[in-house]
Amino acid sequence: MPASASLNADLPAAPNGQALAEAGEGEKLYLVRGTPAYRRASLAFFMSGFSTFALLYCVQPLMPIFARDFGVSPAASSLSLSLSTGFLALAIFCAAAVSERFGRRSLMFVSLLGASICTIACAAMPNWNLLLIIRALEGLLLGGVPAVAMAYLSEEVDPKGLGAAMGLYIAGNAFGGMAGRVVTGVLAEYFSWRLALVGMGALGIVAAIGFLVLLPPSRNFVPRKSSLRYHVDAWLGHLNHPALALLFAIGFLLMGAFVTIYNYIGFRLVDAPYSLDQTELGLIFTVYLFGIVASWAAGLLGDRFGHFAVMLTGIVLAFTGVVITLATPLPLIILGIVLLTSGFFIAHSVASALVGRMAKGTKGHASSLYLLGYYLGSSVAGSVGGHFWSADGWWAVSAFTGTMLALALAAALLSRSITQRS
């Protein structure tokens, strides 16, 4: 009997079509593309990505309303998003450590459910400061999803199908980002922003329950106790990997540029000469549909043609989109947003997969570092961009975001060079 067959005989049968796939360090029970378990897991993570981004970014089209109703500046109104993403970035570290002890699936479910309840609670807040406190708490809760999701996929999915699974998860991010913006924009126009937030929170609860029902339990993860020193050493180990560290920086730069454009394009388009209402502004965010397709396609193309080549293409596409938004005609502005959105999700999807592939052990810690940079980019650049908007309008915002994307391109080229030499 072959050695591999004897190893397989000692392992329990895989449920729901789950199949064995060879891992570098031995045999593991992986979710293999084409099996029912792989499809269920992919759908579950699509739902978690949808819920995370819908809950996180549903306030973005409401920023001009917040500025008007609460009497705050555009930069201050962006705190409704920046505080959430900032606290989420910090919570990712805690979430990675907690998931090592208690497991991935249950932590993600509790996080999604808690964040959904917070979104509903925001609708009842009587003043700006209380709303910001709840949004900060929501960010803390959502920290239990992104890093843990990437770790689960890296541990449980056959490496040959990881790019496609990660791409579908990022596509869920894109769909959630679109739904959060469009639905809240329309509901705020015809009813109120408070009812819009209640609707998004209820949708998040449904997605959380669906996630729990669909996701197969972990097969390759064993909960373990660990010390603070263990986690610090794991994070430092990944930071000392030059190519990985550059990917973390790319996450910061990509997300910073992307969120800055989306934060302040609303302020530009509700003013003359465009004077869009909330429904029209919300409908512009349907360009996220391009991000859904781009994320899914990027995963497949990265697996086939090389991840760095696809990531570089995405960054260039996003930069081109920012340049085009400088045009005055509304159709060209929308085209620029389409290109920015597509390029961002292509690059982010591939960068996420690269982190999972390049990390040696403690993949949850590597994912947490990437997502720390990613969400800090949203928080820091998203708020700083408001000062560029106030200083010199859209030209200043475009220069700020274009510079970040140029730096992301340079970092991607350097990371590829280091990887090819090693």
Side-chain angles (χ1 to χ4, degrees):
M1 179 183 294
S4 60
S6 63
L7 284 170
N8 293 351
D10 293 333
L11 291 169
N16 302 317
Q18 191 169 330
L20 284 170
E22 181 94 16
E25 66 275 15
E27 299 276 3
K28 286 188 176 182
L29 282 170
Y30 280 128
L31 297 168
V32 178
R33 202 156 104 190
T35 63
Y38 177 92
R39 288 191 289 269
R40 286 178 58 217
S42 297
L43 180 57
F45 277 101
F46 180 89
M47 295 179 74
S48 75
F50 166 87
S51 184
T52 300
F53 263 50
L55 296 172
L56 197 59
Y57 292 102
C58 64
V59 297
Q60 203 165 48
L62 303 179
M63 288 179 185
I65 298 178
F66 289 157
R68 182 195 68 206
D69 286 3
F70 292 104
V72 296
S73 69
S77 73
S78 73
L79 290 174
S80 60
L81 176 57
S82 295
L83 277 176
S84 296
T85 54
F87 276 90
L88 186 152
L90 297 176
I92 282 172
F93 280 106
C94 298
V98 170
S99 72
E100 291 289 331
R101 176 77 181 274
F102 298 106
R104 317 293 198 196
R105 185 167 168 260
S106 57
L107 177 61
M108 286 186 280
F109 169 69
V110 170
S111 297
L112 290 170
L113 184 63
S116 300
I117 294 171
C118 281
T119 299
I120 295 173
C122 280
M125 293 302 104
N127 62 61
W128 182 239
N129 289 335
L130 286 175
L131 188 148
L132 292 182
I133 290 171
I134 299 299
R135 286 292 296 175
L137 176 60
E138 184 170 342
L140 284 172
L141 288 168
L142 280 175
V145 181
V148 180
M150 291 175 67
Y152 178 100
L153 289 170
S154 297
E155 291 165 349
E156 304 298 328
V157 175
D158 177 15
K160 295 178 182 177
L162 178 59
M166 193 72 76
L168 191 59
Y169 168 61
I170 303 301
N173 292 170
F175 186 56
M178 180 196 72
R181 292 165 168 95
V182 173
V183 171
T184 53
V186 172
L187 289 177
E189 174 72 18
Y190 290 100
F191 300 99
S192 71
W193 65 265
R194 295 182 186 276
L195 181 60
L197 293 182
V198 170
M200 288 312 305
L203 194 58
I205 291 174
V206 172
I209 294 171
F211 169 83
L212 182 66
V213 170
L214 287 170
L215 187 67
S218 298
R219 305 284 294 186
N220 300 321
F221 170 76
V222 179
R224 57 182 178 270
K225 295 181 179 179
S226 54
S227 64
L228 177 61
R229 178 72 183 187
Y230 165 81
H231 296 293
V232 171
D233 288 344
W235 286 317
L236 290 177
H238 294 308
L239 288 171
N240 287 330
H241 187 308
L244 262 179
L246 286 166
L247 287 177
F248 304 151
I250 289 169
F252 176 93
L253 295 165
L254 284 175
M255 189 58 161
F258 179 72
V259 167
T260 299
I261 292 291
Y262 270 84
N263 275 0
Y264 302 104
I265 193 66
F267 288 96
R268 181 185 182 190
L269 296 181
V270 297
D271 285 342
Y274 310 105
S275 301
L276 301 187
D277 61 32
Q278 283 300 128
T279 298
E280 292 167 333
L281 183 61
L283 289 175
I284 286 179
F285 294 125
T286 57
V287 301
Y288 256 65
L289 290 170
F290 292 91
I292 297 170
V293 176
S295 300
W296 175 76
L300 295 176
L301 293 173
D303 286 339
R304 184 171 182 181
F305 296 110
H307 292 80
F308 278 105
V310 176
M311 181 169 64
L312 289 165
T313 301
I315 296 172
V316 171
L317 195 62
F319 182 87
T320 303
V322 169
V323 173
I324 292 175
T325 64
L326 288 168
T328 300
L330 182 60
L332 283 180
I333 295 173
I334 295 173
L335 174 62
I337 297 172
V338 168
L339 295 179
L340 167 72
T341 302
S342 301
F344 165 76
F345 278 104
I346 288 171
H348 170 47
S349 177
V350 174
S352 300
L354 277 170
V355 169
R357 285 172 174 266
M358 292 169 61
K360 304 301 182 184
T362 60
K363 293 180 182 292
H365 292 78
S367 298
S368 70
L369 285 171
Y370 174 79
L371 290 166
L372 173 67
Y374 180 82
Y375 287 108
L376 280 180
S378 173
S379 180
V380 175
S383 288
V384 170
H387 299 290
F388 282 87
W389 167 256
S390 298
D392 198 20
W394 195 251
W395 281 95
V397 171
S398 298
F400 176 56
T401 54
T403 299
M404 284 192 288
L405 290 171
L407 290 172
L409 182 64
L413 289 168
L414 183 55
S415 182
R416 182 179 67 173
S417 177
I418 293 170
T419 303
Q420 290 173 342
R421 291 200 305 267
S422 60

